[in-house]
Amino acid sequence: MNVTRGFTGRPRVHNPGLPPGQYDAGDEWPVLSAEVTPDLSPADWTFRVDGLVEQPRTWDWDEAHDLPSSAYEGDIHCVTSWSKFGVRFSGVSLDTFLAEARPHASATHAVAYAHTGYTTNLPLADLTGGRAWIVWEYDGKPLPAEHGGPARLLVPHLYFWKSAKWVAGLTLLDHDEPGFWEQNGYHARGNPWEEQRYAGD
């Protein structure tokens, strides 16, 4: 069994689609959360974009669903060493929300925050250009609460702790501001292909 700085997992099988230190979870989707799963209904869910934007804006469930739909089909990777291939999420591209809020030129980073209080930081470049979504369906069905439903952030090219469950909003900043796991020793960005698991990787 390989051990990667505190993470243990299944024996590694060579797969060119797997980032270093990952295993294929197959049909499994492990449930990992820093917080207790909230009892959050679609009627109580909102999403807000604020900070360095021209037009701070909050969308409720119906308003978000009225936006043009978008889907992601591909792979996801968790820092705890599992990967899932060929997943399908549906929702709205984050570009659509940002276009309505109109970020200032000075905005370089964002803090994503959840209805539970969880936070994670991301470069704005990782959230734009068709690289991130707000999603509420998985494989054609409503996103389960334990996986972030009614809606979560999806940033599939980074480790999955960056894809904040139960997402409530984004605050745009002109600097990097560590979130929950980043304050507790995780990497500021979290690129799976560079094994950016911990600060200093």
Side-chain angles (χ1 to χ4, degrees):
M1 177 180 292
N2 293 332
V3 179
T4 305
R5 296 188 60 183
F7 290 94
T8 61
R10 303 176 182 183
R12 285 5 180 205
V13 176
H14 177 69
N15 179 332
L18 275 175
Q22 299 291 108
Y23 73 88
D24 184 351
D27 293 333
E28 298 178 16
W29 187 358
V31 177
L32 301 165
S33 299
E35 302 162 302
V36 174
T37 299
D39 182 13
L40 180 65
S41 72
D44 295 327
W45 179 86
T46 57
F47 179 70
R48 180 170 176 80
V49 178
D50 56 23
L52 295 177
V53 296
E54 292 184 24
Q55 183 61 55
R57 174 76 196 276
T58 301
W59 295 262
D60 64 21
W61 186 254
D62 290 336
E63 290 168 336
H65 278 67
D66 284 341
L67 297 173
S69 62
S70 182
Y72 169 75
E73 294 185 52
D75 311 326
I76 54 176
H77 310 286
C78 182
V79 71
T80 58
S81 78
W82 59 262
S83 294
K84 281 183 69 64
F85 293 92
V87 300
R88 179 180 171 83
F89 289 92
S90 298
V92 172
S93 171
L94 197 54
D95 289 318
T96 302
F97 293 99
L98 292 171
E100 293 198 12
R102 303 193 301 278
H104 291 166
S106 59
T108 59
H109 289 77
V111 171
Y113 56 94
H115 284 271
T116 56
Y118 175 84
T119 59
T120 189
N121 58 302
L122 303 108
L124 191 57
D126 281 317
L127 297 173
T128 56
R131 307 184 84 190
W133 293 259
I134 302 300
V135 296
W136 39 71
E137 286 188 1
Y138 174 75
D139 200 21
K141 298 177 182 178
L143 184 65
E146 65 268 24
H147 289 302
R152 74 179 296 158
L153 177 64
L154 177 68
V155 191
H157 65 283
L158 300 180
Y159 281 127
F160 220 45
W161 91 79
K162 294 292 187 176
S163 295
K165 294 181 177 182
W166 315 299
V167 68
L170 286 178
T171 297
L172 272 58
L173 307 169
D174 60 3
H175 61 279
D176 197 10
E177 187 172 296
F180 175 81
W181 284 117
E182 296 81 13
Q183 293 178 44
N184 285 280
Y186 278 33
H187 197 276
R189 182 160 182 254
N191 182 340
W193 295 97
E194 297 181 7
E195 283 200 276
Q196 293 175 339
R197 302 179 191 271
Y198 298 101
D201 285 347

